[in-house]
Amino acid sequence: MSKSSTSTPASRSDAALTSTKERLLLEAMRLFARNGMNAVSLRRIVAAAGAGNLSALHYHFGNRESVVREVAQMLKRILEPRCLERLAALDSRAHGVRDALDAAFGPMIDMLGEPGLGRDAVCFIGRLGWDFGEEGQHISADLHRELMEQIHARLVVLLPGLEPEILKFRLLLTMNSLYYGISYRSYAMRSPFGALSIGRRGNEVQERALFMDYLESGITHPL
């Protein structure tokens, strides 16, 4: 057997630890997203992840706040490069406000269809601000800071007549609308108006276009 095909006890142990940590993070994300960040016991997360005992979670994270932070960091590592890469790609072509918004926020919408993440990831991020108090808002700010600074810098150029401070506030509203809107997209089938055809399966492309229309209108609305 070649050296490249062997693994030491230490490397196998490290892999096992990583696997356990990843399972804990994914189950924490799923349970927090579906039940609320303060409604799920740490013991339940451990049981769902099949980690065996509560000490596994404390070993990796310490407490509830640390678990929430780690899940947010995991999602940041996934989302931020995708968003920034799409924004950077705009430099190679002429683009408008709609292009910039789709580059910045499109990956969040795309994540809905991604196995292992999907609606749970979107709902988790949305809950940070409204379900975990001021601490959750700080965590959300860290998750989005680089992205929001870059999209703001681009839109300042594209919308020179809009005060930068007002643009920042509109971007915050856009981000909140994004997470709330796509987290509960099925609500269109149970709305006060009754079932809307736009919410049916197969209409995702049109639904996305209409949602981006809504976001663009909010950003560009004249003073």
Side-chain angles (χ1 to χ4, degrees), residues 10 16 58 63 78-79 86 90 97-98 107 109 130 133 156 159 167 176-177 180-181 189 192 194:
H58 288 296
N63 55 37
I78 294 170
L79 275 175
R86 287 181 59 174
L90 295 177
V97 172
R98 176 65 163 261
I109 301 175
W130 68 68
V156 164
L159 297 168
L167 178 56
N176 289 334
S177 297
Y180 185 83
M189 297 302 295

Side-chain angles (χ1 to χ4, degrees), residues 180-192:
Y180 185 83
I182 62 178
S183 293
Y184 299 100
R185 62 196 306 181
S186 62
Y187 187 47
M189 297 302 295
R190 302 165 188 83
S191 80

Side-chain angles (χ1 to χ4, degrees), residues 159-211:
L159 297 168
L162 194 60
E163 294 180 24
E165 187 77 4
I166 292 176
L167 178 56
K168 288 178 181 178
F169 184 65
R170 288 184 178 181
L171 279 170
L172 291 179
L173 295 177
T174 297
M175 187 178 73
N176 289 334
S177 297
L178 173 80
Y179 287 117
Y180 185 83
I182 62 178
S183 293
Y184 299 100
R185 62 196 306 181
S186 62
Y187 187 47
M189 297 302 295
R190 302 165 188 83
S191 80
F193 309 107
L196 303 181
S197 61
I198 193 64
R200 293 174 184 162
R201 290 187 181 277
N203 292 334
E204 290 82 5
V205 173
Q206 182 186 11
E207 184 184 37
R208 175 175 177 151
L210 289 172
F211 189 57

Side-chain angles (χ1 to χ4, degrees), residues 5 39 44 52 56 76 94 105 107 124-125 128 131 142-143 171 177 183 204 210:
S5 63
R44 183 178 174 188
K76 180 179 180 179
F105 299 120
F124 174 88
I125 297 173
L128 283 172
D131 195 40
D142 178 67
L143 193 163
L171 279 170
S177 297
S183 293
E204 290 82 5
L210 289 172

